[in-house]
Amino acid sequence: MKKIFAVALGILTAIGGFVDIGDLVTNAVVGSKFGLGLAWVVIIGVAGICLYADMAGRVAAVSGRATFEIIRERLGPRTGLANLAASFLINLLTLTAEIGGVALALQLAAGVGPGMWIPVALFAVWVVIWRTKFSLMENVAGLLGLTLLVFVVALFLLKPDWGHLLAPAAQPWLPAAESPVSYWYFAVALFGAAMTPYEVFFFSSGAVEEKWTKSDLATERANVFIGFPLGGILSLAIAACAALVLLPKGIEVSTLSEVVLPVAQAGGQLALAFAIVGILAATFGAALETTLSSGYTLAQFFGWSWGKFRRPVQAARFHISMIICLVIGGGILATGVDPIQVTELSVVFSAVALPLTYFPILVVANDPEYMGDEVNGRVRNGLGVVFLVIIVVAAVAAIPLLLASGMGSA
Amino acid sequence: MRSPLGRTSALTVLLVSVALVTGCAPTTQPDPALVSVVGDLISSGRSAELGLTLDTDGRILPGTLTTLLDDMAAEMADSVRSLELAHTSTEVDADYRTDALSTGRDALDAVHLAQQGDAPAALVSLGRQLDELSQLEGAG
């Protein structure tokens, strides 16, 4: 019974924790421009993150070590350093976006500008990381994030013509006003949002934090293969709501306040309140994860003591590095930069960094020295290679599409 | 029978003539960049309009409406500024810019009216301006 409860809790937190500011904004933007014409990207992205998160979780459960620790050891310090540099910088950008997302969510509730909420968000993230147990932190944020299911409820309340709504998903559709360059730019951005690097580093390090072993592999698989796809349905619901309410009016999403309008139209103030709580939980949870991922990647590369299972004094450099990352993120936001623009940049640059993140995971997951008899089978390897090709194509195309499309405005 | 060289020369002369005539013909379409800014104004204006409509129906929280109006006012101000700074090289562009600027400023004033608390008047004015902007966008 206890095991069933643990699995169920893991699935629920995986659903609630799947969506972050990047998924929220990118799916709403895409829905308001293309309807469900880019749903195929979400499906591919979710499949990819499931595959590689499972590999990363399995590596941690079997070897007892986080993925990044093994990458340096297995592939050498140079490859590890390249991986660290790319992952850390993208992580920092994503952390900045998530802190900005927390501030914007608080602004939606209070009506007061995000500037005053940034220090509040930074302090709250630091206090929770400093004082709260890992499992409590993960479970509360994940469960509260389930309130984002209000987007799924709103979708049904809006009484869509399902045939008309789903038609672009079956036949990817390019509105006359949009250029192919813009379409493919958003495809790459959506893919980057679904497969953001910090997710696998956090998942793998979290497995070590919670002391997973081979006996936890069933739980790990349930979290990944049930939780993540259900979280992907949430992403599609956000896009569908934007497609139903905003697209017909010619509204192109550029602010978080526009993302929640379909929920308000469908369910009124109560539904809107649920959405704001969900956005706050999702962005706060993601801020915790990206902050921890920053600490994990640095500590694991340099061989520092790390982990929330250790008292802060026993992992001082791990905690200090996270504080520094929070200060840098806050500093970037203090310049007045639009958090939504930071979010849009973070998902595109995530796409650029994907090969450096996922190729090493594929290599380690095939190494019997670390994995024993849990190495990848032929099917997993075949799929892993297929996704790696997609990842490389997205990474190569990301910056040219960003420039050619003017960040999607062309 | 005419020589192939003669037919080719005639074709070349014809093509060059057509190119010269069409290249020199005055364009009746405004600069796409101006039309794009009008599209942005419509997008922001419709978001504000939707928010105000939801407020009339009691379906939006006050904090969210305030945030939405602030965001849309800022975006519309940016669009108006873009129009003010836009360089026009043809009479068509200059006329288009003048109309877009006038209507854009009125739409922005409507949002400001809403921010000051007069939602019903703002909604009426905004609706009118958005219809005009939509006509402008269609003409582009």
Side-chain angles (χ1 to χ4, degrees):
Chain A
M1 190 66 196
K2 214 174 163 184
K3 186 84 175 170
I4 294 171
F5 179 77
V7 170
L9 185 61
I11 292 171
L12 290 173
T13 54
I15 299 169
F18 184 81
V19 169
D20 67 356
I21 189 70
D23 296 298
L24 267 162
V25 169
T26 313
N27 278 286
V29 169
V30 163
S32 70
K33 284 170 98 71
F34 304 103
L36 287 182
L38 282 169
W40 61 274
V41 177
V42 175
I43 294 168
I44 291 175
V46 168
I49 192 67
C50 284
L51 184 71
Y52 276 93
D54 170 59
M55 279 188 224
R58 199 157 23 94
V59 166
V62 171
S63 68
R65 298 165 69 189
T67 315
F68 210 90
E69 278 181 312
I70 300 177
I71 285 171
R72 181 175 184 252
E73 191 177 285
R74 174 69 177 77
L75 297 175
R78 274 194 191 165
T79 308
L81 186 62
N83 198 338
L84 171 70
S87 304
F88 182 76
L89 289 172
I90 300 303
N91 218 41
L92 197 55
L93 199 58
T94 310
L95 187 162
T96 305
E98 303 298 346
I99 296 290
V102 173
L104 288 175
L106 289 168
Q107 184 191 16
L108 281 181
V112 181
M116 68 171 275
W117 298 117
I118 293 168
V120 172
L122 289 171
F123 181 71
V125 167
W126 172 71
V127 162
V128 169
I129 287 178
W130 186 264
R131 302 297 297 176
T132 313
K133 273 188 179 175
F134 184 89
S135 56
L136 179 66
M137 178 192 80
E138 197 186 21
N139 290 337
V140 169
L143 289 174
L144 278 175
L146 284 174
T147 51
L148 282 176
L149 285 169
V150 73
F151 277 92
V152 179
V153 174
L155 181 57
F156 285 89
L157 288 175
L158 288 167
K159 296 190 173 66
D161 175 344
W162 290 102
H164 188 251
L165 177 67
L166 295 173
Q171 294 173 336
W173 159 69
L174 199 63
E178 300 296 337
S179 71
V181 172
S182 177
Y183 180 85
W184 287 105
Y185 165 77
F186 282 108
V188 168
L190 209 50
F191 187 66
M195 293 197 71
T196 341
Y198 82 84
E199 290 171 0
V200 288
F201 290 130
F202 180 78
F203 192 70
S204 145
S205 301
V208 175
E209 293 266 20
E210 294 185 315
K211 298 178 174 38
W212 278 5
T213 62
K214 274 176 81 166
S215 63
D216 294 302
L217 282 178
T219 306
E220 176 265 312
R221 282 174 190 143
N223 285 1
V224 170
F225 292 110
I226 300 174
F228 283 13
L230 291 177
I233 289 174
L234 200 45
S235 294
L236 290 172
I238 293 168
C241 284
L244 285 172
V245 174
L246 306 179
L247 177 59
K249 294 185 188 307
I251 295 172
E252 292 188 4
V253 169
S254 56
T255 64
L256 197 60
S257 54
E258 288 167 311
V259 172
V260 298
L261 287 176
V263 174
Q265 177 163 318
Q269 292 184 343
L270 182 62
L272 180 55
F274 269 85
I276 292 173
V277 168
I279 292 170
L280 187 56
T283 50
F284 192 80
L288 294 172
E289 291 181 15
T290 45
T291 306
L292 281 164
S293 290
S294 303
Y296 290 144
T297 48
L298 280 174
Q300 289 163 19
F301 179 80
F302 289 112
W304 302 339
S305 205
W306 62 270
K308 279 186 57 58
F309 59 89
R310 291 193 169 94
R311 286 172 38 221
V313 70
Q314 294 170 324
R317 283 176 289 190
F318 170 64
H319 282 275
I320 288 170
S321 64
M322 288 193 288
I323 291 171
I324 292 172
C325 289
L326 282 170
V327 169
I328 293 173
I332 294 171
L333 289 168
T335 62
V337 69
D338 179 8
I340 298 295
Q341 291 211 320
V342 174
T343 300
E344 290 178 349
L345 275 175
S346 75
V347 296
V348 174
F349 282 101
S350 286
V352 176
L354 292 179
L356 282 171
T357 303
Y358 290 106
F359 172 69
I361 293 174
L362 187 61
V363 169
V364 172
N366 272 289
D367 192 331
E369 193 181 318
Y370 297 102
M371 300 300 292
D373 56 1
E374 290 291 340
V375 287
N376 277 356
R378 278 187 190 171
V379 173
R380 274 204 176 92
N381 268 338
L383 289 170
V385 169
V386 165
F387 273 97
L388 203 56
V389 169
I390 297 172
I391 282 164
V392 168
V393 169
V396 168
I399 302 296
L401 285 170
L402 173 78
L403 297 171
S405 69
M407 277 184 73
S409 59
Chain B
M1 189 174 161
R2 291 181 69 180
S3 71
L5 191 59
R7 270 209 296 275
T8 305
S9 300
L11 190 60
T12 307
V13 167
L14 179 63
L15 283 172
V16 168
S17 304
V18 166
L20 277 172
V21 167
T22 53
C24 293
T27 176
T28 56
Q29 296 297 315
D31 186 349
L34 293 174
V35 179
S36 174
V37 176
V38 169
D40 292 342
L41 277 167
I42 292 170
S43 174
S44 307
R46 293 249 180 258
S47 289
E49 186 185 44
L50 178 57
L52 289 169
T53 306
L54 291 172
D55 184 50
T56 306
D57 297 338
R59 301 182 82 79
I60 193 168
L61 294 167
T64 308
L65 179 65
T66 303
T67 304
L68 178 71
L69 292 177
D70 288 347
D71 288 342
M72 295 307 110
E75 287 195 347
M76 290 170 84
D78 285 343
S79 297
V80 166
R81 205 168 300 121
S82 297
L83 287 171
E84 286 168 350
L85 296 174
H87 173 67
T88 54
S89 52
T90 68
E91 202 177 321
V92 169
D93 285 349
D95 290 342
Y96 191 87
R97 175 177 162 272
T98 303
D99 291 340
L101 204 45
S102 168
T103 315
R105 283 176 178 147
D106 289 342
L108 180 55
D109 286 342
V111 174
H112 286 152
L113 200 57
Q115 287 177 301
Q116 286 155 17
D118 193 352
L123 211 45
V124 169
S125 175
L126 195 52
R128 227 176 15 243
Q129 307 314 325
L130 286 170
D131 286 342
E132 284 189 33
L133 284 169
S134 296
Q135 284 176 10
L136 267 176
E137 191 188 34

